Amino acid sequence: MIVLCATISAFVASCVYDWEVGAPASTDAGPGTGGAGGSGGGGADCADLLADLDAARIAAKSCVLGASGQCAEKVTDECGCHSFVKAGGSAEAQSFAAAVEAFLSADCKPSCAGGCSVVVSGMCLIVGGQGPYCTP
């Protein structure tokens, strides 16, 4: 019984809600503040850049439940937090990193709530009825 309780406690402690998947435009965890904003520097439209960023994030974090060797690599998101992706160095992960850079380079302000989660490994989970996605 003690082993079962310890296992359940460890599992519950490792469960986190991935604020990046599902509603990434308004619920990303990170140190920044502000909203998606209007237009940024260079005439870039922050709403369009945010839509591109969200699509790239979903593609990079999409995973297969139960498959091994995924959700181990991280990309730094627009809030400065580590975001686990299905495969580091993949075209999807590179597109996500490029979308983050484009968003920030245009002086768009991310919507970041709270601080970054301190998680050392990602997991492939269904989050809020969506996914599966690498979390966090």
Side-chain angles (χ1 to χ4, degrees):
M1 181 67 171
I2 293 173
V3 173
L4 178 61
C5 291
T7 303
I8 291 171
S9 294
F11 178 74
V12 170
S14 69
C15 290
V16 295
Y17 183 79
D18 184 3
W19 295 103
E20 299 174 351
V21 179
S26 62
T27 57
D28 283 331
T33 59
S39 59
D45 181 26
C46 289
D48 290 341
L49 289 171
L50 182 60
D52 293 345
L53 173 60
D54 290 340
R57 179 191 337 270
I58 289 170
K61 293 178 78 68
S62 293
C63 55
V64 178
L65 285 175
S68 63
Q70 58 185 0
C71 303
E73 300 293 324
K74 300 176 265 187
V75 170
T76 301
D77 69 13
E78 70 278 16
C79 295
C81 299
H82 293 290
S83 182
F84 286 91
V85 295
K86 179 180 176 183
S90 67
E92 293 86 359
Q94 291 175 0
S95 292
F96 178 30
V100 168
E101 180 62 31
F103 183 82
L104 295 175
S105 293
D107 293 327
C108 298
K109 303 297 179 213
S111 177
C112 304
C116 299
S117 61
V118 182
V119 179
V120 295
S121 65
M123 296 187 310
C124 185
L125 299 172
I126 294 177
V127 178
Q130 297 180 10
Y133 299 112
C134 294
T135 60

